[in-house]
Every structure is written in structure tokens, then in C-alpha cells.
Amino acid sequence: MEKEGAKKILIMGLVGIGIMAIAILAMEAEAQGANEVWVDDDAPSSWYNETHVHTIQEGINNVSDGGVVHVWNGTYNENVDVDKTVTIVGNGSANCIVQASDSNDHVFYVTADWVNISGLTIKGGNYGIYLDDPWHCNISDNNVSYNRYGIAIDGAYHDIINNTAFSNDIYGIILLSSSYNNLIDNNCSYNEYGIYLDYSHFNTLKDNNLSHNGHGIYLYDSRYNKIISNDISYNPEVDSGIHLEHRSDETIIKNNNITGNDHGIYLNDSNNCNISNNNFTENYVGVWLNNSHYNTIYNNEFYGNEYGIYLSSSNNNIFIDNMICNVNGDNTYGIYLESSDNNRFTETSIGNISGDAAIGVGLFNSTHNNFTDTSIENVNGGFIAIGLLVFNSTYTFFDPTIIDNITVNGEMSVALGIALSNSANNRFIETRITNVSGNLSVGLSLFNLVDIMEILYGFMDGGIPQAMNGNGISQLPYFGIPIPTNNNFTDTTVNNISGNFTIGIGLFNATYNNFTDTNVENINGDFIAVGIGLLISYNNSFDPTIIDNITVNGEMSVALGIALSN
């Protein structure tokens, strides 16, 4: 009997302990909140309780850490603080609207890790969503529009996916000292900046659509980022589709479509970047490097830009297998280098360049650049067309180079295959210049381009035709009579040069230039045709040289195989 009583007492004690434990767990669960909470702004009053609430903030307050807040369709006027790990799921962004009750505050202010926000329209606040130093958040399928700033990201390891950031005053999406984030498949339009990275590194921007912003993608002092497979179009301000500023080094930019921007890609003071497999269409400048060095630009295609590639004060960059075509505007260049040294171009194709002043490649005040396997074809100018212009530049190497079909349309016009002015110690190997046609046509010229313009147009005091003002020939400095010297040409062919005044190879005030294995053929002029002409030029050598078929058409006309004057 005593044993049975003891057993009963033990069992009753265990049951009591169990009941107490269940009660304690129930109290803790009630204190922690429910795993799921539903929010509706206009449900019947009988619907509401601890898990069915009026506002999103109530839902966050009532849900357990790691729980889910479901937001039904409606308009919620509130500023929401998210200070716990929670998933907030809207019922669809079009009809599930969160409007800031205080426009100077953030609509969503997130300070907890692992927060997910999706399916909402978020508008009317200072920031639509501000992630203030959490990690591992997911912001997806939201419409964040008509805020001062759209989505602002601090912290790291966030996924920002398939959001719309529309008509925010300044930024669609901005990263602030934030790294290792993925920005994928977002649509940012009509913001001042579509996506802006500030001191943010190791981020991936992929498959985003950025259009009609002041600036498409802008990086400031942000390194090791990847910009891949984005559509960036019609960001019209005097800036860029993609802009890298102030040590935004080691950036990978590839497989992007960049259309209708002022500058397609602009690098300023940014180095060691890789730009590849992009399409540049109808931008003012396709790629512009300013004070940027050791970048690699390869396998890109440029269509309909006014400048294809533009370098200013940029050195030691590598360009491989780029195609530049249909360049058009008032003053156009396939490639433009100014004060840029030690750059290397390999397998470059330039074609269909047109404008009042049309130039395939222009080098200005630059030295030690290298062009290998260069093709320049179909350059057509209203007043002047030049296949290759080397101005005040030295120690440039070209091997081999094809220049074909350089033409002009105006009555008083100049077509030049290659023009060297005030340039020395350049080297050309295996050069082919064919089909140059204009009022004054020269296959290969070594003299002052400004002097040619004055002779042709009869201007005084170094005047230049007004039609060429802008970034064209009018920007060339006037040195009086420069002396092209110590340039070397090996295996050069000049063929089919035609116009009123035609010269196969012309030297004016040029000295100590060397031509080896030179062929000048089919030079035809209406008034004057000259195979090789030297004016006030000394100590130049031609060995060996073939000159063939120099012809003129007019009754009072002159044809000369070789002409030496003074």
C-alpha cells in the first residue's frame, strides 16, 4: 500500500510539473508573438485580434522573430520600423500601397538582419526603403517610387531583385558603404541616378533596366564591382550610361546594351577595369577614358556614336577586337586620343564615319601608342575626311594598317588617307591607302593641316571654316610651319587617289623621313596630279619606289610623277 501511495504521489508531481511547463511555454509563445500575422486596413471589426491587425507596424510588433506578416490590398499610411527578423509579404504591389504618413521619414526603416520585403508599392517618404546596416536582407518585387530616395542599402549580403524604382527625386537605388550585394532585374527610370554606389565594393549589378535617368549607373570610389547584362538607355544629361568616378578600380563591365546616352561608359580616375562584349548604340561618346590607366577594352561593338572611343590623359590601356561603325555627327571620330600615351590597339575595325569633319583615328599630343591590325574604311566628310590623323604626336607604331574609301562632298574640301602634322619618330609598316577622293586629295601627307586649310580656303590669320567649329579641326593649335621629321614608312601602297588636286605622297617642310618599298599608283586629277611631291623638304629618303599611272583630265592640267620644289 505504501508503495502504491508513493507511486501516486510521484505521478501527480510529474503531471503538475508538465502542466506548469506547458503553461510557461504558452506564456512565452504569447510574449514572443505568432508565427504569422495578417494585415488589412478595411476588414470587418470582428476580423481583428492579435494576429489580424490594421497596420503593418502592428503586424511587425505582434509577429514572432522570424515570422511572416501578410499584407492584404489597401493603402497604409504609416512609417514602418523593422527591428526584428521578419518577412513582409504584400498581396501584389499594384494594390498594396504603403504611403509615408511623414514625408520626411523613411517609409520602411530596417535595422534587423534577414528581413524580407516584397509585393508592395512604397512611396512618399524620404527613403522608400532604408536598410541601416543589417545583413542578408531580401527586397524583391516592390514598386518604390515618388520618394526622395528609392532604396538605400547599408550593410552587406543583400539581394535587391525585380523592383521598380520610378521617379524618385535623386536615387532609384543607392548603396552606401555596402558590399557583397546582388542587384538583379530591377527597373530604374526617371530618377536623377538610376543606381548609385558610394564606397561600395564587390557588388553585382545584373539584368537591370535603367532608362531616362539623369545618370544610369554611377560608381564613386567603389571597387571590384560587376556590371553585367544591363540595358542602359536614354540617360540624357551631360554624363553617362555607366560612370566610374574616383578610384572605382577593378570593375568588370560586360554584356551590356548601352543606347542613347551622352556618354556610354565614362571612366574618370579609374584603373584596371575590364570592359568587354558591350553594345554601344547612338551615344555621343561610346567609351571615354579620362585620367584612367591600365584598363582593358575588348570585343565591343559601337554603332552610330559621334565618337566611338575617346581617351584623354589616359595611359597604358589595352584595346582588342573592337568594331566601330556608323559613326555620325557634326565632327566625328572613330577613335580619339588626346595627351594619352602607351596605349595598345589590336584588331580594330573602323567603318562608315560621316560628318562635316570625319576622322577615322585622331591622335593629338600623344606618344608611344601602338596600333596593330587596324582597318579604317568609308570615311565621308562634308568639308574634310581623314583616315588617320597624327598631330603633334610621337613614337606611334602602326602595323599593318588598311585605309580605304576616304571621301568628301563639298566643293572646297580635303580628303587625306594619312596626315602627319608636327609629328616625329612614328613608324608605319605594311600600310595600304586606297580610294581617296576630294577637291584636294592626298594619300599620305606630312605637313601642317592648318596650312592646307588656309591654302585651300584662302583664309587669313589661321582662320578655319565655321562649319568645323566644335570638337573638330578648329581645335588644332596653329604652330605656323611645323616640321614632321624622322618618321619611317615600310611597305607602303598608295593607290587610286582622285580629285581636282591630287597627290599620292606629299611632304611640306618635312625632313629626315624614310620611305622603304613604296608603291604609288593610279593618281588622277582634274587639274594637277602628283605621284610624290616635296615642298621645302630636305633629307628624306625613298628606296625603292614605284610610281605608276599618274593622269589628269583637264585641258590645262599637269601630271607629275615626282615634284620637288625649293
Side-chain angles (χ1 to χ4, degrees), residues 74-104:
T75 299
Y76 301 88
N77 295 298
E78 53 183 310
N79 300 94
V80 181
D81 293 330
V82 185
D83 56 2
K84 67 174 68 171
T85 296
V86 66
T87 294
I88 303 169
V89 182
N91 202 35
S93 62
N95 299 308
C96 200
I97 301 168
V98 186
Q99 169 82 44
S101 59
D102 180 356
S103 62
N104 294 315

Side-chain angles (χ1 to χ4, degrees), residues 61 90 147 404:
N61 294 342
N147 304 280
D404 180 57

Side-chain angles (χ1 to χ4, degrees), residues 258-376:
I258 303 171
T259 303
N261 307 283
D262 193 68
H263 307 141
I265 294 177
Y266 179 70
L267 272 63
N268 184 53
D269 191 24
S270 296
N271 309 313
N272 293 298
C273 297
N274 186 307
I275 301 172
S276 65
N277 299 101
N278 301 286
N279 291 316
F280 299 88
T281 306
E282 296 180 356
N283 306 283
Y284 179 66
V285 180
V287 171
W288 186 346
L289 308 184
N290 181 62
N291 195 32
S292 297
H293 317 298
Y294 297 101
N295 299 287
T296 301
I297 296 90
Y298 67 93
N299 201 33
N300 300 283
E301 296 184 355
F302 300 81
Y303 297 95
N305 307 281
E306 191 158 337
Y307 289 74
I309 296 171
Y310 191 117
L311 273 67
S312 51
S313 303
S314 295
N315 308 322
N316 297 294
N317 299 286
I318 297 174
F319 297 80
I320 302 172
D321 196 21
N322 296 289
M323 183 180 73
I324 303 169
C325 67
N326 298 331
V327 178
N328 58 79
D330 294 332
N331 303 292
T332 59
Y333 289 80
I335 297 174
Y336 181 101
L337 275 69
E338 180 179 3
S339 302
S340 297
D341 307 328
N342 295 298
N343 298 287
R344 179 160 60 89
F345 293 80
T346 302
E347 296 182 8
T348 305
S349 175
I350 301 170
N352 299 324
I353 314 298
S354 61
D356 289 338
I359 299 173
V361 175
L363 281 71
F364 302 87
N365 307 305
S366 299
T367 187
H368 288 97
N369 294 289
N370 187 312
F371 289 78
T372 303
D373 291 318
T374 306
S375 173
I376 303 170

Side-chain angles (χ1 to χ4, degrees), residues 132-168:
D132 190 0
D133 203 29
W135 283 28
H136 298 290
C137 294
N138 183 298
I139 309 298
S140 61
D141 300 304
N142 300 287
N143 186 332
V144 185
S145 301
Y146 301 105
N147 304 280
R148 182 168 174 78
Y149 309 99
I151 300 172
I153 304 165
D154 200 347
Y157 298 100
H158 304 301
D159 291 322
I160 313 301
I161 301 172
N162 198 35
N163 299 282
T164 294
F166 179 85
S167 286
N168 298 286

